[in-house]
Amino acid sequence: MPANKNLLILPGDGIGPEVMREVRRVIDWMDRRRMVTFNVSDDHAGGSAIDTYGTPITDETMEKAKAADAILFGSVGGPKWDKLGFQLRPEIAILRLRKELDLFANLRPAIVLDPLVDASTLKADVIRGLDIMIVRESTGGIYFGEPRGVESLPDGQKRGFDTETYTTSEIERVSRIAFELARKRQNRVCSVEKANVMQSGLFWRQTVTALQAREFPDVELSHMYADNCAMQLVRNPRQFDVIVTSNLFGDLLSDLASMLTGSLGMLPSATLGAIQPSGKRHALYEPIHGSAPDIAGKGIANPLAQIMSFAMLLRHSFGMEEDAALIEKACVNVLRNGLRTADIMAPGSARVGTGVMGESILRELDKLAA
């Protein structure tokens, strides 16, 4: 049995603790099967940390995160904390984790599973078999650039401003991950920016082009403006393999791509740091759905995105490809058997809650591992 692996779980707010509970059941199943043993620690982040500690994330929790081999994150936020001010937003927790752990590459797969082809609002022949990986730069760009702020003008007006800025190394390191992923897929990367109207976009295009010529000549590289990419994702999404783009455009395009699949409740994500000299890489895994406070506590949330985020954790942090694939196969089988949570409900399917969906995945894991 593999050596113990240190895993920090931060369930967060809203439905976060509910869906994370189903992941813990999968972890316990793996332990019982003697597949792997995790040293699991839990802590608060987001609104629950504000309630417990008075801050979105404590220094002590950050130290746990730095020591962990991987972090499994839930979802944070909700109307309860909306009036606390900018510096007490629950989302500060995830921003601080990304910044201090230097988690610069956000991986967001958009995959249409066969049993859910009809859940998408697009025609089945447009999205059947869709498998896109969007690689979003997540520690730079306009979300972190300086100067930024709100200033008073001489005529009495105010002006708000943010700065889009990228360095060569910031662009190259996220692009390397995109090229490396493409080599394991269809060997195609589409770099997305606005080189026609933004100097930072032109610099992005030039930097990615030079990197591909120098280090990845075997990978096909294309370029696309962000607005055209948004249109093409709806028009013909299967033309894409790996998309690499900036923080802002990645934020927008990954949410657009997620709805091609029919539900935010189905999609996991990973955010990776650089490989350190020790071989360790900081990494955080989370579903892309929000905390959904309107359904929290009702036992109806879809746990699949959180469970598949754990599968991504096994694959990218621990190299456990077979185990990750086993969990993903169990999720597909449950859907093929006709079980659905409310967000992906379809005529002729059986509607189930969070716990039953989790229990059904465990039963499928038992069958697959027999």
Side-chain angles (χ1 to χ4, degrees):
M1 185 166 59
N4 290 355
K5 302 178 185 300
N6 296 315
L7 178 60
L8 175 62
I9 292 182
L10 302 172
D13 310 317
I15 63 171
E18 298 173 49
V19 295
M20 195 68 80
R21 192 174 302 121
E22 303 311 314
V23 176
R24 293 299 297 263
R25 297 173 74 184
V26 174
I27 292 173
D28 291 342
W29 180 88
M30 295 181 74
D31 186 39
R32 290 195 305 272
R33 288 275 178 171
R34 299 188 59 78
M35 299 167 72
V36 65
T37 296
F38 291 96
N39 288 327
V40 180
S41 59
D42 298 83
D43 210 333
H44 294 281
S48 69
I50 294 172
D51 292 346
T52 305
Y53 305 126
T55 182
I57 189 166
T58 66
D59 293 342
E60 291 75 16
T61 305
M62 285 301 309
E63 290 305 311
K64 290 182 183 179
K66 292 172 183 176
D69 294 316
I71 303 162
L72 192 61
F73 198 82
S75 303
V76 297
K80 177 181 178 181
W81 304 282
D82 282 349
K83 298 180 180 180
L84 294 181
F86 190 81
Q87 294 304 320
L88 278 180
R89 291 172 299 145
E91 293 79 10
I92 291 292
I94 189 67
L95 293 177
R96 185 177 174 189
L97 284 163
R98 288 175 185 166
K99 184 176 180 61
E100 294 192 22
L101 299 181
D102 200 19
L103 303 174
F104 64 86
N106 181 227
L107 280 54
R108 291 197 176 188
I111 300 172
V112 175
L113 304 177
D114 286 344
L116 295 182
V117 167
D118 293 330
S120 174
T121 54
L122 271 65
K123 295 178 180 178
D125 60 349
V126 173
I127 52 89
R128 182 176 282 110
L130 181 68
D131 184 353
I132 300 173
M133 177 65 77
I134 296 181
V135 181
R136 166 192 173 188
E137 200 290 322
S138 58
T139 58
I142 202 165
Y143 291 172
F144 295 94
E146 298 288 349
R148 60 192 305 176
V150 178
E151 63 181 6
S152 298
L153 301 178
D155 63 0
Q157 295 188 79
K158 290 189 175 183
R159 178 174 63 185
F161 55 96
D162 297 275
T163 303
E164 170 80 359
T165 174
Y166 274 112
T167 64
T168 303
S169 60
E170 286 177 320
I171 298 170
E172 286 185 344
R173 66 181 185 174
V174 72
S175 299
R176 280 193 184 94
I177 286 183
F179 285 122
E180 288 164 359
L181 285 170
R183 279 176 168 168
K184 300 175 183 178
R185 294 167 52 91
Q186 299 175 35
N187 218 39
R188 294 184 291 113
V189 171
C190 180
S191 176
V192 174
E193 21 65 8
K194 285 288 287 181
N196 55 336
V197 293
M198 296 172 64
Q199 288 292 335
S200 60
L202 178 59
F203 178 61
W204 180 286
R205 179 174 291 207
Q206 293 169 341
T207 303
V208 175
T209 300
L211 176 68
Q212 185 267 348
R214 188 172 68 248
E215 298 183 19
F216 300 94
D218 57 306
V219 181
E220 178 185 331
L221 173 64
S222 61
H223 301 275
M224 191 174 287
Y225 298 143
D227 49 350
N228 184 33
C229 183
M231 181 182 72
Q232 294 297 332
L233 279 170
V234 177
R235 176 180 173 272
N236 179 24
R238 287 182 299 186
Q239 70 183 276
F240 298 106
D241 179 22
V242 176
I243 294 173
V244 62
T245 189
S246 67
N247 208 340
L248 174 61
F249 294 142
D251 194 356
L252 301 174
L253 294 173
S254 60
D255 275 9
L256 189 159
S258 72
M259 290 314 299
L260 302 176
T261 70
S263 173
L264 285 172
M266 288 299 303
L267 298 179
S269 75
T271 312
L272 309 179
I275 298 177
Q276 302 169 35
S278 64
K280 178 179 177 179
R281 164 183 262 165
H282 289 307
L284 181 147
Y285 302 84
E286 60 180 323
I288 71 169
H289 61 66
S291 61
D294 55 319
I295 63 170
K298 297 182 179 179
I300 61 174
N302 187 346
L304 291 176
Q306 190 76 71
I307 292 171
M308 289 194 286
S309 294
F310 176 64
M312 287 190 78
L313 181 153
L314 296 177
R315 176 176 290 115
H316 292 287
S317 281
F318 300 140
M320 299 172 63
E321 175 63 38
E322 291 184 5
D323 302 279
L326 186 74
I327 292 171
E328 291 164 346
K329 178 66 173 176
C331 292
V332 172
N333 286 356
V334 167
L335 295 172
R336 188 171 285 121
N337 292 338
L339 299 187
R340 300 285 189 276
T341 46
D343 59 310
I344 52 174
M345 189 60 192
S349 299
R351 180 169 176 169
V352 299
T354 310
V356 173
M357 182 62 82
E359 181 65 33
S360 300
I361 290 169
L362 295 179
R363 287 199 296 268
E364 284 299 321
L365 285 171
D366 281 336
K367 295 176 185 176
L368 292 170

